Amino acid sequence: MVLTTLFLTFLVTVGLALAVLYSVAGPPLRAKGSRLIATVDRVLHRLAQAVRERVSAHREAAAHDEPETAHSH
């Protein structure tokens, strides 16, 4: 249990560090035409689209369910 907690804490810390790095270093690198930032932007855009589609599908499915079972998934 402790190892799992440490591992999850590590992942969250690294994820936050990458998000801060991307938000600080991204704009200047994007202005220079960095291929790395262009690739990261493409991947994040595709990921965001996939999440939006999944959320939309889940909402549509929940709307067709009966009200008392819509949130039991």
Side-chain angles (χ1 to χ4, degrees), residues 15-73:
L16 288 173
L18 288 173
V20 168
L21 180 63
Y22 177 74
S23 67
V24 170
L29 289 173
R30 203 174 285 115
K32 289 182 179 182
S34 169
R35 290 187 323 176
L36 174 64
I37 292 298
T39 301
V40 170
D41 286 342
R42 255 192 328 274
V43 168
L44 291 176
H45 180 70
R46 288 180 186 162
L47 181 64
Q49 276 183 323
V51 169
R52 279 189 215 109
E53 289 171 3
R54 181 142 185 168
V55 167
S56 176
H58 179 75
R59 285 183 180 163
E60 288 176 15
H64 296 303
D65 286 345
E66 295 178 15
E68 62 272 2
T69 61
H71 298 287
S72 65
H73 299 226

Side-chain angles (χ1 to χ4, degrees), residues 9-20:
T9 303
F10 173 77
L11 288 178
V12 169
T13 303
V14 169
L16 288 173
L18 288 173
V20 168

